[in-house]
């Protein structure tokens, strides 16, 4: 399995920005879909954004217009730029890689997660 390591989380004030990074252990990610999921306390893990190997993107309605997913295959890295952050964005954010473009399951490889806290 591909090893994924997230970074870039932290504490930010409402309205602020963060950029999460997901570094993969293998260049094979150029063939994979990459996604960001999040899990808030007491809630199920949910898809935040996904990007296919052909660069098609998919976003949760709650983050459209605020978050941007991207990938740099040369660096084996995926990113999540988060702007206009809200307290309800507070969660552990997980990176995922998978062969399919179906985001509605727990398949693929997962990172260990990075905490994002939005609070004044």
């Amino acid at each position: 399995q591909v090893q994924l390591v997230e970074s870039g989380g932290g504490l930010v004030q409402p309205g602020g920005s963060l950029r999460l990074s997901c570094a993969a252990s293998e260049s094979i990610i150029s063939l994979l879909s990459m996604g960001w999921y999040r899990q808030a306390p007491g809630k199920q893990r949910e898809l935040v954004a996904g990007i296919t190997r052909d660069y098609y993107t998919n976003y949760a309605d709650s983050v459209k217009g605020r978050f941007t997913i991207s990938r740099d295959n040369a660096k084996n890295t995926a990113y999540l730029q988060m702007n206009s952050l809200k307290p309800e964005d507070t969660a552990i954010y997980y990176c995922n890689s998978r062969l399919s473009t179906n985001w509605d399951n727990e398949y693929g490889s997962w990172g260990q997660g990075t905490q994002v806290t939005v609070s004044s």
Side-chain angles (χ1 to χ4, degrees), residues 11-14 86-87 90 117-120:
L11 173 65
V12 63
Q13 293 186 342
K86 304 176 181 179
T90 295
T117 302
V118 185
S119 175
S120 55

Side-chain angles (χ1 to χ4, degrees), residues 75-91:
K75 295 183 178 180
N76 299 338
T77 303
Y79 304 96
L80 184 67
Q81 178 66 44
M82 305 186 294
N83 298 328
S84 302
L85 282 160
K86 304 176 181 179
E88 51 263 44
D89 295 318
T90 295

Side-chain angles (χ1 to χ4, degrees), residues 1-7 21-25 29 33-39 45 78 92-98 106-115:
Q1 279 194 339
V2 177
Q3 303 297 314
L4 303 172
V5 179
E6 303 99 334
S7 61
S21 298
C22 172
S25 59
I29 69 161
S33 297
M34 302 294 295
W36 287 96
Y37 290 73
R38 67 186 180 187
Q39 187 168 23
R45 187 154 58 183
I92 299 174
Y93 284 70
Y94 297 90
C95 180
N96 171 266
S97 66
R98 59 183 61 202
E106 294 281 307
Y107 292 163
S109 299
W110 294 88
Q112 82 288 349
T114 185
Q115 177 71 47

Side-chain angles (χ1 to χ4, degrees), residues 34-109:
M34 302 294 295
W36 287 96
Y37 290 73
R38 67 186 180 187
Q39 187 168 23
K43 295 187 176 181
Q44 288 190 328
R45 187 154 58 183
E46 63 176 358
L47 176 70
V48 176
I51 184 168
T52 71
R53 66 180 187 178
D54 297 318
Y55 295 87
Y56 290 105
T57 57
N58 184 34
Y59 293 95
D61 287 342
S62 59
V63 306
K64 284 180 180 176
R66 299 189 298 123
F67 290 11
T68 302
I69 189 170
S70 62
R71 62 191 299 161
D72 185 339
N73 291 337
K75 295 183 178 180
N76 299 338
T77 303
Y79 304 96
L80 184 67
Q81 178 66 44
M82 305 186 294
N83 298 328
S84 302
L85 282 160
K86 304 176 181 179
E88 51 263 44
D89 295 318
T90 295
I92 299 174
Y93 284 70
Y94 297 90
C95 180
N96 171 266
S97 66
R98 59 183 61 202
L99 285 170
S100 78
T101 57
N102 179 3
W103 303 106
D104 298 329
N105 54 60
E106 294 281 307
Y107 292 163
S109 299

